[in-house]
Amino acid sequence: MAKPEVTGLILTLNGARHLDACLASLDFCDRILIVDSGSTDATADIAAAHGAQVLVNPWPGPKKQFELAFEHIATPWVVSLDQDEILSDELRASVIQALRDPADMSAFLCPRTSYYFDRFLRHSGWYPDLLPRVFKLADTGVHVSGPHYGFETKGKTRRLAGDIIHYPYENLKQHVEKINYYTQIAAEEMHAKGKRAGVATAIGHGLARFMKIYFFRRGFLDGKAGFVLAVNSFFYAFQKYIRLAELGGKKTE
């Protein structure tokens, strides 16, 4: 059986920091497609050096951007990475082997390990973070929750060995900036659905989030990074609900 052709897919916006390594880890793909939202750094030069096709489209949100990308993919299989993700050597080999004979699989699940503060997290609810990043295009759609996205596949899936190496934040300043951005969107969406909150609700959700990350998901095993993440997770939940309180007034339920 001939190996099915595969496209490597990346959405970018000023992603030069890790893009070279990202694209190098996808060099086994028959084609690489980048959909860029208007980068002003070296993203375009790095893409050209790897022979990638680049489409430029102002950011319409993750769902529409991926739908645009899917319209420009002719291969039956896709390997999708974020611009700050790299296939480890082990996972790269696992993907190549899986695509030699995917049988009746619709997708392959890839573990992802993320670097945070001073280490790659192995607990805290951030690992193995299984993601269907190798998928049959005809069996896959995109779902969105606020600013976050994920792939939905129909059919059978199987986990692969190795990890996606993920560098989600350059530093804690960038993480706080993302929290600021994400919590405002989440609060506005909840408010639009008629939800309300108060200060007590915000504190309660923040404490619950800290407990979940640090104790129930064993963030304490991730050392200082696990504690810092748990504190910022408290901050995330608190900000989401206190902004909802700001938008909608006092809690009504």
Side-chain angles (χ1 to χ4, degrees), residues 208-224:
R209 189 66 181 167
F210 178 91
M211 295 288 289
K212 183 177 183 179
I213 297 295
Y214 196 66
F215 293 107
F216 300 118
R217 292 186 172 175
R218 301 189 298 170
F220 59 89
L221 294 178
D222 282 320
K224 290 181 290 186

Side-chain angles (χ1 to χ4, degrees), residues 103-144:
D104 58 349
M105 295 292 159
S106 289
F108 294 95
L109 304 177
C110 302
R112 182 171 69 173
T113 183
S114 297
Y115 190 88
Y116 189 79
F117 192 60
D118 63 353
R119 71 187 66 197
F120 285 101
L121 298 177
R122 306 300 287 186
H123 307 281
S124 303
W126 278 33
Y127 188 82
D129 192 21
L130 294 174
L131 302 167
R133 293 298 190 83
V134 182
F135 53 83
K136 189 181 293 184
L137 184 60
D139 290 348
T140 303
V142 180
H143 71 87
V144 173

Side-chain angles (χ1 to χ4, degrees), residues 60-126:
K63 185 174 178 64
K64 290 184 178 180
Q65 198 78 322
F66 273 111
E67 288 174 347
L68 173 68
F70 287 1
E71 291 173 0
H72 288 81
I73 294 176
T75 62
W77 282 85
V78 177
V79 180
S80 181
L81 292 179
D82 290 343
Q83 63 185 14
D84 54 9
E85 296 176 341
I86 303 158
L87 297 181
S88 69
D89 290 343
E90 183 181 13
L91 180 56
R92 182 180 178 280
S94 296
V95 172
I96 293 171
Q97 181 63 37
L99 289 175
R100 284 176 181 158
D101 182 13
D104 58 349
M105 295 292 159
S106 289
F108 294 95
L109 304 177
C110 302
R112 182 171 69 173
T113 183
S114 297
Y115 190 88
Y116 189 79
F117 192 60
D118 63 353
R119 71 187 66 197
F120 285 101
L121 298 177
R122 306 300 287 186
H123 307 281
S124 303
W126 278 33

